């Protein structure tokens, strides 16, 4: 009964795969929680920073401040920062980022791309691999960022990006990443990073007291702007990375959940098939015995 | 007055204080009750915090921004350690 044995082995192997995917799902769920906590942790900082920025602009008017990061230059060279993950098995998570970058290169930035004026920086191994496989030239990869992710390491990368903008190496920088909505939903977005747009929404009547403007500025407004803007850029970058990490775990959790479900379905179908084969084998054996006995009786 | 010291990764301190001494860019300064609203940048140095029970805590910072408003002080620092 080689066939029955083969099927038994198959069932065992599917079951052990299911165990692996189930474990991976659990691990992702735990990591997702941690990643979500990190997002919540930076929220007070980010909100306060934004509030200070709004206060500064409100009191002094957005028009008359100058900052090297807010300068709109003639766009000659563009950098796309594609934030992906270091590990796979997370559904369409990485492929979506790569697809979006490809789409941008062929539509919005096609003119620049044809002249070789678009660089792609891949953060995360998986993205870099796919870009290579698709023959999309990348100017660099950064993948050590995710090992024990900290603000200080993300800050360094953000500072490098800001420096390359300042020196005029790039005149426009976009971030492409998965924004975290909830465990099951990620939203792929393209976010302009540099130059800075300072959005000042008119404070609604309810929080008018939040934004009253009678501050003493030390040393002076421009100096404060000069420290607050780089900070808010770094926070923006750090938040993008954190969002991407949380999305990655969310995507992996969903993918592994589906894989576990599929495995159960497969085990069910295989078991049915196995039992049918087993029963027909038994029926066959019984027939043999009975007909053997009959033959003996007849003689 | 209520003081909060926040880094991007966590809240270092939140609570009532009597006195806060800060390493401003233009020199060190102290904040007491009913300080006028102000926003200032901070340079590398130590933050000294005096709690109502007389406890004194120091935080070492690399730089940051402080906002003082109606007896609420919020200090945003990049990275810091307790001393």
């Amino acid at each position: 009964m080689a066939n029955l044995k083969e099927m038994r082995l198959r069932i065992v192997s599917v079951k052990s795969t299911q165990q692996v995917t189930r474990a991976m799902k659990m691990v992702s769920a735990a990591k997702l929680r941690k990643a979500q906590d990190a997002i919540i942790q930076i929220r007070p900082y980010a909100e306060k920073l934004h509030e200070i920025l709004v206060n500064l602009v409100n009191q002094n008017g957005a028009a008359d401040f100058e900052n090297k990061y807010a300068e709109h230059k003639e766009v000659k060279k563009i950098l796309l920062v594609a934030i992906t993950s270091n590990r796979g098995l997370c559904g369409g998570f990485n492929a979506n980022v790569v697809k979006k970058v490809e789409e941008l290169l062929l539509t919005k930035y096609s003119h620049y791309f044809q002249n070789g004026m678009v660089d792609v920086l891949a953060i995360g191994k998986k993205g870099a691999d796919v870009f290579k496989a698709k023959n999309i030239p990348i100017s660099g990869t950064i993948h050590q960022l995710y090992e024990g992710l900290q603000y200080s390491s993300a800050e360094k990368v953000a500072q490098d990006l800001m420096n390359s903008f300042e020196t005029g190496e790039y005149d426009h920088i976009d971030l492409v990443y998965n924004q975290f909505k909830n465990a099951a939903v990620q939203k792929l977005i393209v976010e302009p990073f540099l130059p800075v747009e300072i959005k000042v929404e008119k404070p609604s009547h309810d929080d008018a007291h939040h934004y009253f403007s009678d501050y003493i500025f030390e040393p002076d407004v421009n100096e404060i702007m000069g420290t607050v803007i780089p900070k808010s850029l770094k926070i923006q970058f750090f938040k993008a990375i954190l969002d991407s990490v949380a999305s990655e775990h969310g995507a992996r959790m969903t993918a592994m959940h589906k894989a576990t479900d599929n495995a159960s379905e497969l085990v069910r179908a295989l078991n049915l098939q196995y039992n049918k084969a087993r029963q027909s084998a038994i029926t066959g054996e019984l027939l043999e015995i009975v007909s053997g006995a009959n033959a003996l009786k007849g003689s | 007055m209520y003081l909060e010291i926040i880094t991007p990764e966590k809240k270092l301190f939140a609570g009532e204080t009597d006195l806060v001494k800060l390493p401003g860019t233009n020199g060190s300064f102290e904040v007491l009750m009913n300080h006028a609203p102000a926003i200032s940048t901070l340079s590398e140095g130590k933050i000294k915090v005096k709690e109502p029970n007389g406890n004194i805590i120091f935080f070492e910072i690399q730089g940051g921004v402080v906002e003082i408003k109606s007896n609420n002080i919020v200090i945003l620092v990049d990275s810091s350690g307790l001393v």
Side-chain angles (χ1 to χ4, degrees):
Chain A
M1 290 287 112
N3 192 25
L4 275 182
K5 197 178 176 197
E6 265 169 35
M7 282 173 77
R8 217 158 33 225
L9 284 177
R10 178 102 201 275
I11 291 172
V12 169
S13 118
V14 172
K15 273 187 180 159
S16 70
T17 307
Q18 186 187 23
Q19 246 160 14
V20 172
T21 57
R22 193 180 288 139
M24 280 181 78
K25 184 189 149 195
M26 299 295 196
V27 171
S28 288
K31 286 189 175 170
L32 173 68
R33 245 194 80 96
K34 250 179 153 180
Q36 266 179 298
D37 283 348
I39 293 179
I40 292 166
Q41 287 300 324
I42 67 162
R43 212 170 273 160
Y45 188 95
E47 274 166 12
K48 199 69 208 173
L49 201 63
H50 182 74
E51 204 182 305
I52 291 178
L53 205 61
V54 170
N55 271 326
L56 281 165
V57 176
N58 267 1
Q59 187 153 350
N60 302 282
D64 59 343
F65 90 94
E66 272 175 27
N67 190 280
K68 57 191 175 187
Y69 298 121
E71 204 180 321
H72 282 265
K73 307 175 200 174
E74 189 201 338
V75 178
K76 290 194 206 95
K77 197 150 188 204
I78 297 168
L79 179 70
L80 292 176
V81 183
I83 303 175
T84 59
S85 70
N86 271 354
R87 298 199 180 136
L89 290 183
C90 41
F93 177 80
N94 290 315
N96 285 345
V97 173
V98 173
K99 242 187 263 164
K100 189 76 194 173
V101 169
E102 214 178 357
E103 185 195 316
L104 282 175
L105 290 177
L106 297 175
T107 55
K108 197 173 162 197
Y109 297 135
S110 66
H111 180 66
Y112 296 102
F113 184 51
Q114 273 154 24
N115 297 322
M117 296 315 267
V118 185
D119 278 350
V120 178
L121 174 69
I123 295 181
K125 270 181 206 157
K126 286 291 156 192
D129 290 349
V130 183
F131 281 123
K132 265 176 215 151
K134 288 198 172 198
N135 273 328
I136 297 171
I138 48 177
S139 64
T141 54
I142 298 170
H143 45 67
Q144 64 280 29
L145 198 60
Y146 295 119
E147 316 288 337
L149 179 61
Q150 271 187 334
Y151 176 66
S152 50
S153 45
E155 185 192 12
K156 264 180 219 129
V157 179
Q159 187 63 53
D160 286 347
L161 292 178
M162 284 148 68
N163 288 344
S164 66
F165 178 80
E166 202 184 331
T167 56
E169 196 184 339
Y170 299 110
D171 311 300
H172 188 91
I173 300 179
D174 275 345
L175 305 178
V176 184
Y177 67 98
N178 285 289
Q179 200 174 41
F180 183 76
K181 290 282 165 205
N182 58 49
V185 181
Q186 301 89 39
K187 194 177 161 220
L188 186 68
I189 60 166
V190 181
E191 193 175 76
F193 183 59
L194 284 162
V196 185
E197 296 282 352
I198 296 178
K199 289 168 265 161
V200 177
E201 55 278 13
K202 273 274 160 220
S204 67
H205 206 70
D206 295 347
D207 16 274
H209 65 279
H210 255 327
Y211 296 110
F212 84 105
S213 45
D214 193 18
Y215 283 101
I216 303 166
F217 294 107
E218 279 269 329
D220 61 69
V221 175
N222 270 331
E223 191 104 352
I224 297 173
M225 272 299 200
T227 37
V228 171
I229 287 178
K231 270 190 214 302
S232 88
L233 281 170
K234 285 171 191 166
I235 282 292
Q236 188 193 350
F237 184 76
F238 187 49
K239 187 156 184 304
I241 296 279
L242 287 179
D243 261 50
S244 177
V245 170
S247 302
E248 177 198 340
H249 293 308
R252 182 168 299 120
M253 209 174 93
T254 321
M256 288 302 117
H257 181 76
K258 276 191 198 135
T260 311
D261 282 358
N262 286 345
S264 326
E265 182 62 26
L266 205 57
V267 167
R268 206 187 58 81
L270 280 173
N271 260 332
L272 189 67
Q273 221 180 331
Y274 172 75
N275 285 336
K276 272 184 185 161
R278 191 175 58 92
Q279 267 181 335
S280 76
I282 291 168
T283 314
E285 266 172 46
L286 277 176
L287 275 177
E288 269 169 35
I289 293 167
V290 170
S291 58
N294 277 346
L296 280 178
K297 216 188 276 171
S299 67
Chain B
M1 53 194 176
Y2 196 73
L3 170 73
E4 281 179 285
I5 304 178
I6 311 173
T7 75
E9 279 160 338
K10 57 176 183 268
K11 227 172 226 182
L12 284 178
F13 182 92
E16 286 295 321
T17 54
D18 283 348
L19 175 151
V20 183
K21 190 175 176 189
L22 299 160
T25 314
N26 277 2
S28 144
F29 63 97
E30 281 182 355
V31 181
L32 294 166
M33 270 303 268
N34 299 327
H35 193 283
I39 293 174
S40 169
T41 54
L42 304 175
S43 46
E44 199 179 332
K46 271 184 193 170
I47 300 174
K48 177 181 161 188
V49 177
K50 194 176 165 210
E51 290 183 300
N53 59 15
N55 237 354
I56 291 177
I57 314 171
F58 288 97
F59 297 92
E60 204 148 277
I61 61 161
Q62 303 296 319
V65 189
V66 61
E67 186 205 44
I68 303 157
K69 185 177 76 181
S70 50
N71 286 324
N72 273 307
I73 309 173
V74 181
I75 308 173
L76 303 178
V77 296
D78 299 338
S79 57
S80 159
L82 265 172
V83 182

